[in-house]
């Protein structure tokens, strides 16, 4: 039998910043911080990496850029669906008028 999945938790920006700060202080390893806050090492590393990108110490997309990109992709997908519906409607009405 597989492991039970625990419910997805949400963290406030303050708690995320605190986790990053604990890692950046250097008195504990990322693994120790992850155990202390009951997260995976990968999740903690990802938060630290994103904080470095947001502060300009590392290259990559900032959090606000990621949010904007996701919103643009959603809008693009919706617009493509709208165009597809209009194409089908045009074909339908062209067929009806013949």
């Amino acid at each position: 039998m597989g492991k039970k999945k625990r419910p997805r938790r949400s963290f406030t920006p303050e708690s995320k910043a605190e986790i990053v700060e604990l890692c950046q202080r250097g008195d504990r390893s990322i693994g120790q911080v992850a155990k202390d806050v009951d997260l995976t090492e990968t999740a903690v590393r990802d938060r630290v990496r994103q904080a470095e990108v947001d502060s300009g110490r590392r290259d990559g997309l900032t959090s606000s850029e990621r949010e904007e990109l996701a919103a643009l992709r959603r809008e693009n997908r919706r617009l493509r669906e709208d165009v597809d519906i209009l194409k089908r409607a045009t074909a339908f009405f062209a067929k009806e008028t013949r």
Side-chain angles (χ1 to χ4, degrees):
M1 292 197 185
K3 291 195 293 187
K4 283 187 179 179
K5 280 193 168 188
R6 67 178 173 197
R8 187 173 183 93
R9 299 178 291 169
S10 62
F11 294 88
T12 63
E14 293 81 20
S15 65
K16 290 179 183 181
E18 185 180 338
I19 291 169
V20 170
E21 184 183 334
L22 288 171
C23 294
Q24 290 177 340
R25 264 194 239 149
D27 54 338
R28 288 190 276 172
S29 70
I30 289 179
Q32 290 170 327
V33 171
K35 284 180 186 176
D36 291 347
V37 295
D38 192 29
L39 287 172
T40 63
E41 257 187 77
T42 303
V44 174
R45 284 184 198 285
D46 288 345
R47 287 198 180 142
V48 170
R49 187 176 303 116
Q50 189 61 50
E52 289 173 351
V53 169
D54 289 346
S55 67
R57 290 182 284 172
R58 182 184 275 233
D59 287 338
L61 292 176
T62 64
S63 296
S64 61
E65 290 171 333
R66 284 182 185 279
E67 289 171 14
E68 181 182 10
L69 182 60
L72 290 171
R73 286 181 174 160
R74 278 191 303 274
E75 182 181 8
N76 194 4
R77 183 173 47 249
R78 187 186 56 79
L79 291 172
R80 286 180 190 269
E81 290 169 357
D82 290 351
V83 167
D84 187 46
I85 290 169
L86 290 172
K87 282 181 181 178
R88 285 193 226 152
T90 302
F92 174 78
F93 288 117
K95 188 176 175 183
E96 288 290 316
T97 57
R98 286 187 192 162

